[in-house]
Amino acid sequence: MPYQDYNWVALFILAGIAFTGVALLVAWLIRPSRIAFSKLTTYECGEEPQYTAWIRYNPRFYVIAIIFLVFDVDVVFMFPWASAYKILLFGIPYHFEAIGLPAFGEMFIFLVILLLGWLFAWKKGAFEWV
Amino acid sequence: MSPADLIAIYFYFFAALAILGALGVVVLRNIFHSVLSMIVCLFAVAGFFVLLNAEFLAAVQVIIYVGAIMVLIIFAILLSTRIMRRDIVQTNAYVLPGIIVSLAFLVTTFFVIISTRFVEDYHVPFYPAWLAEASEKLDNTMIVGWSLMATYSLPFEIASILLLMALIGGVVLAHRKEDD
């Protein structure tokens, strides 16, 4: 990506910040300010919130985090593969030879190996909640 | 405004963001807020990578550091610290060692910077001409992807086995604790 294109990325970031700021500012300007205790509690779909949210969490969430980590790293490998898929299929003369279908196969093997781990976690009951 | 000015503006923006984030990690009293501040710092580093034309590194920085590593640290805090009790008490017991270590780091960094010959000083390209020509047309992410498939396909598959080992190891270890 030529570096000029990053100005658009910067514009998106600025627009995001401005949008949030303007929305909060307008809400602050037009809203009435009548503070009540029940308004300041966490919105919980009709349930009365109890105690604080700052507690130790159940360790079973940790397994989910580990599985997320592995597939997050997997995305790091998939992302250059996907963005190079065109030159993998067709190649660029003198610079990059075309690889063709094996490029698909290599990623398939990669994902199948990871799928084994996912099946292991499933069999082990990592996704069961009750 | 010339492109160089714009790049300088971006650089100072990301530098300020990184320093503020790093300060927040140290100064904030709630350890969870420190982690959120660290995310800001690591994200600013991704901005540096973009400025250095290392787009793939920037993406990896966001995916691995901002995504994976910070999730791991947040989970470590959620699962271990009693964050509800009180904020972590900050003590200044290590002021003198802290000053010595950071001064030593500052001096070392300073001497490394002034003694390094940067790319501009060499007047010779670091990589072959065909690669320079190709990278005019291609992202370096594409070149990384092509080399993963063509040149380094075996390490690529081995990486998936490494990930499989990490997944199985993590699930086995985390589950043993739950059975107790």
Side-chain angles (χ1 to χ4, degrees), chain A residues 3-11 14, chain B residues 1-14 47 51:
Chain A
Y3 70 91
Q4 291 93 339
D5 287 1
Y6 282 101
N7 290 331
W8 293 107
V9 179
L11 198 65
L14 281 180
Chain B
M1 194 157 32
S2 69
D5 289 342
L6 206 56
I7 287 173
I9 290 173
Y10 285 143
F11 174 78
Y12 285 115
F13 173 74
F14 285 126
L51 289 180

mmCIF file with all atom_site columns, all heavy atoms in Angstrom, chain A residues 3-11 14, chain B residues 1-14 47 51:
data_model
loop_
_atom_site.group_PDB
_atom_site.id
_atom_site.type_symbol
_atom_site.label_atom_id
_atom_site.label_alt_id
_atom_site.label_comp_id
_atom_site.label_asym_id
_atom_site.label_entity_id
_atom_site.label_seq_id
_atom_site.pdbx_PDB_ins_code
_atom_site.Cartn_x
_atom_site.Cartn_y
_atom_site.Cartn_z
_atom_site.occupancy
_atom_site.B_iso_or_equiv
_atom_site.pdbx_formal_charge
_atom_site.auth_seq_id
_atom_site.auth_comp_id
_atom_site.auth_asym_id
_atom_site.auth_atom_id
_atom_site.pdbx_PDB_model_num
ATOM 1   N N   . TYR A 1 3  ? 2.249   4.923  0.765  1.00 0.00 ? 3  TYR A N   1
ATOM 2   C CA  . TYR A 1 3  ? 2.052   5.546  2.079  1.00 0.00 ? 3  TYR A CA  1
ATOM 3   C C   . TYR A 1 3  ? 0.976   6.610  2.062  1.00 0.00 ? 3  TYR A C   1
ATOM 4   O O   . TYR A 1 3  ? 0.389   6.913  3.090  1.00 0.00 ? 3  TYR A O   1
ATOM 5   C CB  . TYR A 1 3  ? 3.373   6.107  2.600  1.00 0.00 ? 3  TYR A CB  1
ATOM 6   C CG  . TYR A 1 3  ? 3.883   7.307  1.845  1.00 0.00 ? 3  TYR A CG  1
ATOM 7   C CD1 . TYR A 1 3  ? 3.533   8.578  2.255  1.00 0.00 ? 3  TYR A CD1 1
ATOM 8   C CD2 . TYR A 1 3  ? 4.724   7.167  0.735  1.00 0.00 ? 3  TYR A CD2 1
ATOM 9   C CE1 . TYR A 1 3  ? 3.990   9.684  1.574  1.00 0.00 ? 3  TYR A CE1 1
ATOM 10  C CE2 . TYR A 1 3  ? 5.169   8.260  0.055  1.00 0.00 ? 3  TYR A CE2 1
ATOM 11  C CZ  . TYR A 1 3  ? 4.806   9.526  0.465  1.00 0.00 ? 3  TYR A CZ  1
ATOM 12  O OH  . TYR A 1 3  ? 5.238   10.611 -0.215 1.00 0.00 ? 3  TYR A OH  1
ATOM 13  N N   . GLN A 1 4  ? 0.702   7.188  0.853  1.00 0.00 ? 4  GLN A N   1
ATOM 14  C CA  . GLN A 1 4  ? -0.357  8.208  0.810  1.00 0.00 ? 4  GLN A CA  1
ATOM 15  C C   . GLN A 1 4  ? -1.696  7.646  1.246  1.00 0.00 ? 4  GLN A C   1
ATOM 16  O O   . GLN A 1 4  ? -2.515  8.350  1.825  1.00 0.00 ? 4  GLN A O   1
ATOM 17  C CB  . GLN A 1 4  ? -0.508  8.783  -0.608 1.00 0.00 ? 4  GLN A CB  1
ATOM 18  C CG  . GLN A 1 4  ? 0.650   9.622  -1.069 1.00 0.00 ? 4  GLN A CG  1
ATOM 19  C CD  . GLN A 1 4  ? 1.657   8.785  -1.834 1.00 0.00 ? 4  GLN A CD  1
ATOM 20  O OE1 . GLN A 1 4  ? 1.679   7.564  -1.693 1.00 0.00 ? 4  GLN A OE1 1
ATOM 21  N NE2 . GLN A 1 4  ? 2.490   9.425  -2.627 1.00 0.00 ? 4  GLN A NE2 1
ATOM 22  N N   . ASP A 1 5  ? -1.898  6.326  0.970  1.00 0.00 ? 5  ASP A N   1
ATOM 23  C CA  . ASP A 1 5  ? -3.187  5.717  1.313  1.00 0.00 ? 5  ASP A CA  1
ATOM 24  C C   . ASP A 1 5  ? -3.425  5.721  2.810  1.00 0.00 ? 5  ASP A C   1
ATOM 25  O O   . ASP A 1 5  ? -4.563  5.644  3.255  1.00 0.00 ? 5  ASP A O   1
ATOM 26  C CB  . ASP A 1 5  ? -3.243  4.286  0.788  1.00 0.00 ? 5  ASP A CB  1
ATOM 27  C CG  . ASP A 1 5  ? -3.393  4.270  -0.719 1.00 0.00 ? 5  ASP A CG  1
ATOM 28  O OD1 . ASP A 1 5  ? -3.420  5.375  -1.304 1.00 0.00 ? 5  ASP A OD1 1
ATOM 29  O OD2 . ASP A 1 5  ? -3.483  3.184  -1.295 1.00 0.00 ? 5  ASP A OD2 1
ATOM 30  N N   . TYR A 1 6  ? -2.319  5.809  3.593  1.00 0.00 ? 6  TYR A N   1
ATOM 31  C CA  . TYR A 1 6  ? -2.509  5.807  5.041  1.00 0.00 ? 6  TYR A CA  1
ATOM 32  C C   . TYR A 1 6  ? -3.150  7.085  5.532  1.00 0.00 ? 6  TYR A C   1
ATOM 33  O O   . TYR A 1 6  ? -3.633  7.129  6.663  1.00 0.00 ? 6  TYR A O   1
ATOM 34  C CB  . TYR A 1 6  ? -1.188  5.531  5.755  1.00 0.00 ? 6  TYR A CB  1
ATOM 35  C CG  . TYR A 1 6  ? -0.856  4.080  5.708  1.00 0.00 ? 6  TYR A CG  1
ATOM 36  C CD1 . TYR A 1 6  ? 0.069   3.583  4.814  1.00 0.00 ? 6  TYR A CD1 1
ATOM 37  C CD2 . TYR A 1 6  ? -1.523  3.193  6.539  1.00 0.00 ? 6  TYR A CD2 1
ATOM 38  C CE1 . TYR A 1 6  ? 0.327   2.247  4.754  1.00 0.00 ? 6  TYR A CE1 1
ATOM 39  C CE2 . TYR A 1 6  ? -1.264  1.854  6.486  1.00 0.00 ? 6  TYR A CE2 1
ATOM 40  C CZ  . TYR A 1 6  ? -0.334  1.378  5.590  1.00 0.00 ? 6  TYR A CZ  1
ATOM 41  O OH  . TYR A 1 6  ? -0.090  0.044  5.526  1.00 0.00 ? 6  TYR A OH  1
ATOM 42  N N   . ASN A 1 7  ? -3.147  8.141  4.671  1.00 0.00 ? 7  ASN A N   1
ATOM 43  C CA  . ASN A 1 7  ? -3.888  9.345  5.063  1.00 0.00 ? 7  ASN A CA  1
ATOM 44  C C   . ASN A 1 7  ? -5.369  9.024  5.224  1.00 0.00 ? 7  ASN A C   1
ATOM 45  O O   . ASN A 1 7  ? -6.034  9.592  6.083  1.00 0.00 ? 7  ASN A O   1
ATOM 46  C CB  . ASN A 1 7  ? -3.698  10.438 4.009  1.00 0.00 ? 7  ASN A CB  1
ATOM 47  C CG  . ASN A 1 7  ? -2.284  10.972 4.036  1.00 0.00 ? 7  ASN A CG  1
ATOM 48  O OD1 . ASN A 1 7  ? -1.642  10.956 5.080  1.00 0.00 ? 7  ASN A OD1 1
ATOM 49  N ND2 . ASN A 1 7  ? -1.798  11.418 2.895  1.00 0.00 ? 7  ASN A ND2 1
ATOM 50  N N   . TRP A 1 8  ? -5.865  8.105  4.401  1.00 0.00 ? 8  TRP A N   1
ATOM 51  C CA  . TRP A 1 8  ? -7.267  7.697  4.555  1.00 0.00 ? 8  TRP A CA  1
ATOM 52  C C   . TRP A 1 8  ? -7.476  6.983  5.887  1.00 0.00 ? 8  TRP A C   1
ATOM 53  O O   . TRP A 1 8  ? -8.487  7.187  6.550  1.00 0.00 ? 8  TRP A O   1
ATOM 54  C CB  . TRP A 1 8  ? -7.696  6.799  3.397  1.00 0.00 ? 8  TRP A CB  1
ATOM 55  C CG  . TRP A 1 8  ? -7.728  7.522  2.095  1.00 0.00 ? 8  TRP A CG  1
ATOM 56  C CD1 . TRP A 1 8  ? -6.840  7.394  1.063  1.00 0.00 ? 8  TRP A CD1 1
ATOM 57  C CD2 . TRP A 1 8  ? -8.664  8.517  1.695  1.00 0.00 ? 8  TRP A CD2 1
ATOM 58  N NE1 . TRP A 1 8  ? -7.167  8.241  0.055  1.00 0.00 ? 8  TRP A NE1 1
ATOM 59  C CE2 . TRP A 1 8  ? -8.281  8.946  0.393  1.00 0.00 ? 8  TRP A CE2 1
ATOM 60  C CE3 . TRP A 1 8  ? -9.784  9.096  2.280  1.00 0.00 ? 8  TRP A CE3 1
ATOM 61  C CZ2 . TRP A 1 8  ? -8.986  9.916  -0.299 1.00 0.00 ? 8  TRP A CZ2 1
ATOM 62  C CZ3 . TRP A 1 8  ? -10.483 10.059 1.588  1.00 0.00 ? 8  TRP A CZ3 1
ATOM 63  C CH2 . TRP A 1 8  ? -10.081 10.456 0.323  1.00 0.00 ? 8  TRP A CH2 1
ATOM 64  N N   . VAL A 1 9  ? -6.496  6.145  6.260  1.00 0.00 ? 9  VAL A N   1
ATOM 65  C CA  . VAL A 1 9  ? -6.604  5.463  7.552  1.00 0.00 ? 9  VAL A CA  1
ATOM 66  C C   . VAL A 1 9  ? -6.642  6.499  8.674  1.00 0.00 ? 9  VAL A C   1
ATOM 67  O O   . VAL A 1 9  ? -7.474  6.420  9.589  1.00 0.00 ? 9  VAL A O   1
ATOM 68  C CB  . VAL A 1 9  ? -5.417  4.495  7.744  1.00 0.00 ? 9  VAL A CB  1
ATOM 69  C CG1 . VAL A 1 9  ? -5.505  3.808  9.091  1.00 0.00 ? 9  VAL A CG1 1
ATOM 70  C CG2 . VAL A 1 9  ? -5.378  3.472  6.626  1.00 0.00 ? 9  VAL A CG2 1
ATOM 71  N N   . ALA A 1 10 ? -5.742  7.505  8.568  1.00 0.00 ? 10 ALA A N   1
ATOM 72  C CA  . ALA A 1 10 ? -5.713  8.561  9.586  1.00 0.00 ? 10 ALA A CA  1
ATOM 73  C C   . ALA A 1 10 ? -7.042  9.298  9.615  1.00 0.00 ? 10 ALA A C   1
ATOM 74  O O   . ALA A 1 10 ? -7.562  9.642  10.687 1.00 0.00 ? 10 ALA A O   1
ATOM 75  C CB  . ALA A 1 10 ? -4.571  9.527  9.303  1.00 0.00 ? 10 ALA A CB  1
ATOM 76  N N   . LEU A 1 11 ? -7.613  9.525  8.408  1.00 0.00 ? 11 LEU A N   1
ATOM 77  C CA  . LEU A 1 11 ? -8.906  10.215 8.331  1.00 0.00 ? 11 LEU A CA  1
ATOM 78  C C   . LEU A 1 11 ? -9.992  9.402  9.019  1.00 0.00 ? 11 LEU A C   1
ATOM 79  O O   . LEU A 1 11 ? -10.835 9.955  9.747  1.00 0.00 ? 11 LEU A O   1
ATOM 80  C CB  . LEU A 1 11 ? -9.262  10.450 6.863  1.00 0.00 ? 11 LEU A CB  1
ATOM 81  C CG  . LEU A 1 11 ? -10.337 11.504 6.594  1.00 0.00 ? 11 LEU A CG  1
ATOM 82  C CD1 . LEU A 1 11 ? -9.832  12.862 7.013  1.00 0.00 ? 11 LEU A CD1 1
ATOM 83  C CD2 . LEU A 1 11 ? -10.716 11.501 5.137  1.00 0.00 ? 11 LEU A CD2 1
ATOM 84  N N   . LEU A 1 14 ? -9.520  9.822  12.743 1.00 0.00 ? 14 LEU A N   1
ATOM 85  C CA  . LEU A 1 14 ? -9.987  11.146 13.172 1.00 0.00 ? 14 LEU A CA  1
ATOM 86  C C   . LEU A 1 14 ? -11.503 11.210 13.152 1.00 0.00 ? 14 LEU A C   1
ATOM 87  O O   . LEU A 1 14 ? -12.131 11.744 14.075 1.00 0.00 ? 14 LEU A O   1
ATOM 88  C CB  . LEU A 1 14 ? -9.400  12.230 12.256 1.00 0.00 ? 14 LEU A CB  1
ATOM 89  C CG  . LEU A 1 14 ? -7.959  12.625 12.519 1.00 0.00 ? 14 LEU A CG  1
ATOM 90  C CD1 . LEU A 1 14 ? -7.516  13.705 11.557 1.00 0.00 ? 14 LEU A CD1 1
ATOM 91  C CD2 . LEU A 1 14 ? -7.811  13.104 13.948 1.00 0.00 ? 14 LEU A CD2 1
ATOM 92  N N   . MET B 2 1  ? 1.600   21.371 2.593  1.00 0.00 ? 1  MET B N   1
ATOM 93  C CA  . MET B 2 1  ? 2.327   20.483 3.523  1.00 0.00 ? 1  MET B CA  1
ATOM 94  C C   . MET B 2 1  ? 2.948   19.330 2.743  1.00 0.00 ? 1  MET B C   1
ATOM 95  O O   . MET B 2 1  ? 2.261   18.598 2.042  1.00 0.00 ? 1  MET B O   1
ATOM 96  C CB  . MET B 2 1  ? 1.345   19.962 4.570  1.00 0.00 ? 1  MET B CB  1
ATOM 97  C CG  . MET B 2 1  ? 2.046   19.338 5.723  1.00 0.00 ? 1  MET B CG  1
ATOM 98  S SD  . MET B 2 1  ? 1.110   19.274 7.258  1.00 0.00 ? 1  MET B SD  1
ATOM 99  C CE  . MET B 2 1  ? -0.578  19.108 6.721  1.00 0.00 ? 1  MET B CE  1
ATOM 100 N N   . SER B 2 2  ? 4.242   19.180 2.856  1.00 0.00 ? 2  SER B N   1
ATOM 101 C CA  . SER B 2 2  ? 4.917   18.120 2.101  1.00 0.00 ? 2  SER B CA  1
ATOM 102 C C   . SER B 2 2  ? 4.726   16.776 2.810  1.00 0.00 ? 2  SER B C   1
ATOM 103 O O   . SER B 2 2  ? 4.419   16.753 4.003  1.00 0.00 ? 2  SER B O   1
ATOM 104 C CB  . SER B 2 2  ? 6.413   18.438 1.991  1.00 0.00 ? 2  SER B CB  1
ATOM 105 O OG  . SER B 2 2  ? 7.005   18.311 3.253  1.00 0.00 ? 2  SER B OG  1
ATOM 106 N N   . PRO B 2 3  ? 4.915   15.684 2.075  1.00 0.00 ? 3  PRO B N   1
ATOM 107 C CA  . PRO B 2 3  ? 4.776   14.365 2.700  1.00 0.00 ? 3  PRO B CA  1
ATOM 108 C C   . PRO B 2 3  ? 5.688   14.186 3.907  1.00 0.00 ? 3  PRO B C   1
ATOM 109 O O   . PRO B 2 3  ? 5.302   13.569 4.905  1.00 0.00 ? 3  PRO B O   1
ATOM 110 C CB  . PRO B 2 3  ? 5.159   13.408 1.571  1.00 0.00 ? 3  PRO B CB  1
ATOM 111 C CG  . PRO B 2 3  ? 4.858   14.147 0.339  1.00 0.00 ? 3  PRO B CG  1
ATOM 112 C CD  . PRO B 2 3  ? 5.109   15.595 0.633  1.00 0.00 ? 3  PRO B CD  1
ATOM 113 N N   . ALA B 2 4  ? 6.908   14.766 3.818  1.00 0.00 ? 4  ALA B N   1
ATOM 114 C CA  . ALA B 2 4  ? 7.834   14.601 4.952  1.00 0.00 ? 4  ALA B CA  1
ATOM 115 C C   . ALA B 2 4  ? 7.277   15.262 6.206  1.00 0.00 ? 4  ALA B C   1
ATOM 116 O O   . ALA B 2 4  ? 7.380   14.710 7.304  1.00 0.00 ? 4  ALA B O   1
ATOM 117 C CB  . ALA B 2 4  ? 9.192   15.195 4.590  1.00 0.00 ? 4  ALA B CB  1
ATOM 118 N N   . ASP B 2 5  ? 6.630   16.443 6.025  1.00 0.00 ? 5  ASP B N   1
ATOM 119 C CA  . ASP B 2 5  ? 6.008   17.110 7.173  1.00 0.00 ? 5  ASP B CA  1
ATOM 120 C C   . ASP B 2 5  ? 4.917   16.242 7.766  1.00 0.00 ? 5  ASP B C   1
ATOM 121 O O   . ASP B 2 5  ? 4.803   16.104 8.988  1.00 0.00 ? 5  ASP B O   1
ATOM 122 C CB  . ASP B 2 5  ? 5.390   18.451 6.754  1.00 0.00 ? 5  ASP B CB  1
ATOM 123 C CG  . ASP B 2 5  ? 6.463   19.466 6.443  1.00 0.00 ? 5  ASP B CG  1
ATOM 124 O OD1 . ASP B 2 5  ? 7.596   19.247 6.880  1.00 0.00 ? 5  ASP B OD1 1
ATOM 125 O OD2 . ASP B 2 5  ? 6.150   20.462 5.748  1.00 0.00 ? 5  ASP B OD2 1
ATOM 126 N N   . LEU B 2 6  ? 4.114   15.665 6.868  1.00 0.00 ? 6  LEU B N   1
ATOM 127 C CA  . LEU B 2 6  ? 2.990   14.841 7.318  1.00 0.00 ? 6  LEU B CA  1
ATOM 128 C C   . LEU B 2 6  ? 3.512   13.635 8.093  1.00 0.00 ? 6  LEU B C   1
ATOM 129 O O   . LEU B 2 6  ? 2.983   13.286 9.160  1.00 0.00 ? 6  LEU B O   1
ATOM 130 C CB  . LEU B 2 6  ? 2.188   14.393 6.093  1.00 0.00 ? 6  LEU B CB  1
ATOM 131 C CG  . LEU B 2 6  ? 0.722   14.078 6.342  1.00 0.00 ? 6  LEU B CG  1
ATOM 132 C CD1 . LEU B 2 6  ? 0.036   15.282 6.960  1.00 0.00 ? 6  LEU B CD1 1
ATOM 133 C CD2 . LEU B 2 6  ? 0.054   13.703 5.043  1.00 0.00 ? 6  LEU B CD2 1
ATOM 134 N N   . ILE B 2 7  ? 4.587   13.019 7.568  1.00 0.00 ? 7  ILE B N   1
ATOM 135 C CA  . ILE B 2 7  ? 5.169   11.860 8.258  1.00 0.00 ? 7  ILE B CA  1
ATOM 136 C C   . ILE B 2 7  ? 5.702   12.281 9.622  1.00 0.00 ? 7  ILE B C   1
ATOM 137 O O   . ILE B 2 7  ? 5.536   11.564 10.619 1.00 0.00 ? 7  ILE B O   1
ATOM 138 C CB  . ILE B 2 7  ? 6.265   11.219 7.373  1.00 0.00 ? 7  ILE B CB  1
ATOM 139 C CG1 . ILE B 2 7  ? 5.598   10.489 6.205  1.00 0.00 ? 7  ILE B CG1 1
ATOM 140 C CG2 . ILE B 2 7  ? 7.111   10.248 8.175  1.00 0.00 ? 7  ILE B CG2 1
ATOM 141 C CD1 . ILE B 2 7  ? 6.549   9.954  5.183  1.00 0.00 ? 7  ILE B CD1 1
ATOM 142 N N   . ALA B 2 8  ? 6.294   13.493 9.684  1.00 0.00 ? 8  ALA B N   1
ATOM 143 C CA  . ALA B 2 8  ? 6.788   13.987 10.979 1.00 0.00 ? 8  ALA B CA  1
ATOM 144 C C   . ALA B 2 8  ? 5.634   14.169 11.948 1.00 0.00 ? 8  ALA B C   1
ATOM 145 O O   . ALA B 2 8  ? 5.742   13.815 13.133 1.00 0.00 ? 8  ALA B O   1
ATOM 146 C CB  . ALA B 2 8  ? 7.537   15.302 10.780 1.00 0.00 ? 8  ALA B CB  1
ATOM 147 N N   . ILE B 2 9  ? 4.499   14.703 11.440 1.00 0.00 ? 9  ILE B N   1
ATOM 148 C CA  . ILE B 2 9  ? 3.332   14.890 12.314 1.00 0.00 ? 9  ILE B CA  1
ATOM 149 C C   . ILE B 2 9  ? 2.864   13.544 12.857 1.00 0.00 ? 9  ILE B C   1
ATOM 150 O O   . ILE B 2 9  ? 2.636   13.378 14.055 1.00 0.00 ? 9  ILE B O   1
ATOM 151 C CB  . ILE B 2 9  ? 2.197   15.603 11.553 1.00 0.00 ? 9  ILE B CB  1
ATOM 152 C CG1 . ILE B 2 9  ? 2.577   17.050 11.298 1.00 0.00 ? 9  ILE B CG1 1
ATOM 153 C CG2 . ILE B 2 9  ? 0.895   15.537 12.339 1.00 0.00 ? 9  ILE B CG2 1
ATOM 154 C CD1 . ILE B 2 9  ? 1.593   17.787 10.417 1.00 0.00 ? 9  ILE B CD1 1
ATOM 155 N N   . TYR B 2 10 ? 2.752   12.549 11.927 1.00 0.00 ? 10 TYR B N   1
ATOM 156 C CA  . TYR B 2 10 ? 2.341   11.212 12.362 1.00 0.00 ? 10 TYR B CA  1
ATOM 157 C C   . TYR B 2 10 ? 3.313   10.673 13.396 1.00 0.00 ? 10 TYR B C   1
ATOM 158 O O   . TYR B 2 10 ? 2.917   10.090 14.402 1.00 0.00 ? 10 TYR B O   1
ATOM 159 C CB  . TYR B 2 10 ? 2.283   10.245 11.178 1.00 0.00 ? 10 TYR B CB  1
ATOM 160 C CG  . TYR B 2 10 ? 1.096   10.431 10.276 1.00 0.00 ? 10 TYR B CG  1
ATOM 161 C CD1 . TYR B 2 10 ? 1.215   10.264 8.902  1.00 0.00 ? 10 TYR B CD1 1
ATOM 162 C CD2 . TYR B 2 10 ? -0.150  10.764 10.795 1.00 0.00 ? 10 TYR B CD2 1
ATOM 163 C CE1 . TYR B 2 10 ? 0.136   10.424 8.068  1.00 0.00 ? 10 TYR B CE1 1
ATOM 164 C CE2 . TYR B 2 10 ? -1.233  10.938 9.962  1.00 0.00 ? 10 TYR B CE2 1
ATOM 165 C CZ  . TYR B 2 10 ? -1.082  10.765 8.594  1.00 0.00 ? 10 TYR B CZ  1
ATOM 166 O OH  . TYR B 2 10 ? -2.155  10.925 7.781  1.00 0.00 ? 10 TYR B OH  1
ATOM 167 N N   . PHE B 2 11 ? 4.621   10.852 13.139 1.00 0.00 ? 11 PHE B N   1
ATOM 168 C CA  . PHE B 2 11 ? 5.621   10.306 14.054 1.00 0.00 ? 11 PHE B CA  1
ATOM 169 C C   . PHE B 2 11 ? 5.454   10.901 15.447 1.00 0.00 ? 11 PHE B C   1
ATOM 170 O O   . PHE B 2 11 ? 5.425   10.171 16.442 1.00 0.00 ? 11 PHE B O   1
ATOM 171 C CB  . PHE B 2 11 ? 7.036   10.570 13.542 1.00 0.00 ? 11 PHE B CB  1
ATOM 172 C CG  . PHE B 2 11 ? 8.087   10.146 14.529 1.00 0.00 ? 11 PHE B CG  1
ATOM 173 C CD1 . PHE B 2 11 ? 8.421   8.806  14.648 1.00 0.00 ? 11 PHE B CD1 1
ATOM 174 C CD2 . PHE B 2 11 ? 8.691   11.068 15.362 1.00 0.00 ? 11 PHE B CD2 1
ATOM 175 C CE1 . PHE B 2 11 ? 9.349   8.397  15.575 1.00 0.00 ? 11 PHE B CE1 1
ATOM 176 C CE2 . PHE B 2 11 ? 9.624   10.665 16.299 1.00 0.00 ? 11 PHE B CE2 1
ATOM 177 C CZ  . PHE B 2 11 ? 9.967   9.334  16.398 1.00 0.00 ? 11 PHE B CZ  1
ATOM 178 N N   . TYR B 2 12 ? 5.317   12.250 15.516 1.00 0.00 ? 12 TYR B N   1
ATOM 179 C CA  . TYR B 2 12 ? 5.215   12.855 16.845 1.00 0.00 ? 12 TYR B CA  1
ATOM 180 C C   . TYR B 2 12 ? 3.907   12.468 17.518 1.00 0.00 ? 12 TYR B C   1
ATOM 181 O O   . TYR B 2 12 ? 3.864   12.304 18.737 1.00 0.00 ? 12 TYR B O   1
ATOM 182 C CB  . TYR B 2 12 ? 5.374   14.371 16.751 1.00 0.00 ? 12 TYR B CB  1
ATOM 183 C CG  . TYR B 2 12 ? 6.806   14.755 16.525 1.00 0.00 ? 12 TYR B CG  1
ATOM 184 C CD1 . TYR B 2 12 ? 7.216   15.370 15.355 1.00 0.00 ? 12 TYR B CD1 1
ATOM 185 C CD2 . TYR B 2 12 ? 7.763   14.456 17.487 1.00 0.00 ? 12 TYR B CD2 1
ATOM 186 C CE1 . TYR B 2 12 ? 8.536   15.684 15.146 1.00 0.00 ? 12 TYR B CE1 1
ATOM 187 C CE2 . TYR B 2 12 ? 9.086   14.766 17.288 1.00 0.00 ? 12 TYR B CE2 1
ATOM 188 C CZ  . TYR B 2 12 ? 9.476   15.381 16.112 1.00 0.00 ? 12 TYR B CZ  1
ATOM 189 O OH  . TYR B 2 12 ? 10.790  15.681 15.917 1.00 0.00 ? 12 TYR B OH  1
ATOM 190 N N   . PHE B 2 13 ? 2.856   12.296 16.724 1.00 0.00 ? 13 PHE B N   1
ATOM 191 C CA  . PHE B 2 13 ? 1.586   11.846 17.306 1.00 0.00 ? 13 PHE B CA  1
ATOM 192 C C   . PHE B 2 13 ? 1.749   10.467 17.946 1.00 0.00 ? 13 PHE B C   1
ATOM 193 O O   . PHE B 2 13 ? 1.392   10.262 19.110 1.00 0.00 ? 13 PHE B O   1
ATOM 194 C CB  . PHE B 2 13 ? 0.505   11.811 16.222 1.00 0.00 ? 13 PHE B CB  1
ATOM 195 C CG  . PHE B 2 13 ? -0.787  11.212 16.675 1.00 0.00 ? 13 PHE B CG  1
ATOM 196 C CD1 . PHE B 2 13 ? -1.645  11.903 17.512 1.00 0.00 ? 13 PHE B CD1 1
ATOM 197 C CD2 . PHE B 2 13 ? -1.151  9.930  16.278 1.00 0.00 ? 13 PHE B CD2 1
ATOM 198 C CE1 . PHE B 2 13 ? -2.822  11.348 17.943 1.00 0.00 ? 13 PHE B CE1 1
ATOM 199 C CE2 . PHE B 2 13 ? -2.335  9.367  16.693 1.00 0.00 ? 13 PHE B CE2 1
ATOM 200 C CZ  . PHE B 2 13 ? -3.169  10.074 17.523 1.00 0.00 ? 13 PHE B CZ  1
ATOM 201 N N   . PHE B 2 14 ? 2.332   9.535  17.179 1.00 0.00 ? 14 PHE B N   1
ATOM 202 C CA  . PHE B 2 14 ? 2.476   8.177  17.717 1.00 0.00 ? 14 PHE B CA  1
ATOM 203 C C   . PHE B 2 14 ? 3.478   8.147  18.873 1.00 0.00 ? 14 PHE B C   1
ATOM 204 O O   . PHE B 2 14 ? 3.310   7.386  19.829 1.00 0.00 ? 14 PHE B O   1
ATOM 205 C CB  . PHE B 2 14 ? 2.906   7.212  16.614 1.00 0.00 ? 14 PHE B CB  1
ATOM 206 C CG  . PHE B 2 14 ? 1.798   6.874  15.674 1.00 0.00 ? 14 PHE B CG  1
ATOM 207 C CD1 . PHE B 2 14 ? 1.941   7.052  14.312 1.00 0.00 ? 14 PHE B CD1 1
ATOM 208 C CD2 . PHE B 2 14 ? 0.596   6.389  16.160 1.00 0.00 ? 14 PHE B CD2 1
ATOM 209 C CE1 . PHE B 2 14 ? 0.911   6.748  13.449 1.00 0.00 ? 14 PHE B CE1 1
ATOM 210 C CE2 . PHE B 2 14 ? -0.435  6.079  15.294 1.00 0.00 ? 14 PHE B CE2 1
ATOM 211 C CZ  . PHE B 2 14 ? -0.271  6.269  13.937 1.00 0.00 ? 14 PHE B CZ  1
ATOM 212 N N   . GLY B 2 47 ? 1.765   1.972  14.850 1.00 0.00 ? 47 GLY B N   1
ATOM 213 C CA  . GLY B 2 47 ? 1.843   3.161  13.999 1.00 0.00 ? 47 GLY B CA  1
ATOM 214 C C   . GLY B 2 47 ? 3.266   3.420  13.521 1.00 0.00 ? 47 GLY B C   1
ATOM 215 O O   . GLY B 2 47 ? 3.482   3.761  12.355 1.00 0.00 ? 47 GLY B O   1
ATOM 216 N N   . LEU B 2 51 ? 4.857   3.683  9.641  1.00 0.00 ? 51 LEU B N   1
ATOM 217 C CA  . LEU B 2 51 ? 5.719   4.771  9.175  1.00 0.00 ? 51 LEU B CA  1
ATOM 218 C C   . LEU B 2 51 ? 7.030   4.245  8.603  1.00 0.00 ? 51 LEU B C   1
ATOM 219 O O   . LEU B 2 51 ? 7.644   4.874  7.742  1.00 0.00 ? 51 LEU B O   1
ATOM 220 C CB  . LEU B 2 51 ? 6.018   5.736  10.322 1.00 0.00 ? 51 LEU B CB  1
ATOM 221 C CG  . LEU B 2 51 ? 4.856   6.600  10.791 1.00 0.00 ? 51 LEU B CG  1
ATOM 222 C CD1 . LEU B 2 51 ? 5.298   7.497  11.921 1.00 0.00 ? 51 LEU B CD1 1
ATOM 223 C CD2 . LEU B 2 51 ? 4.318   7.430  9.659  1.00 0.00 ? 51 LEU B CD2 1
#
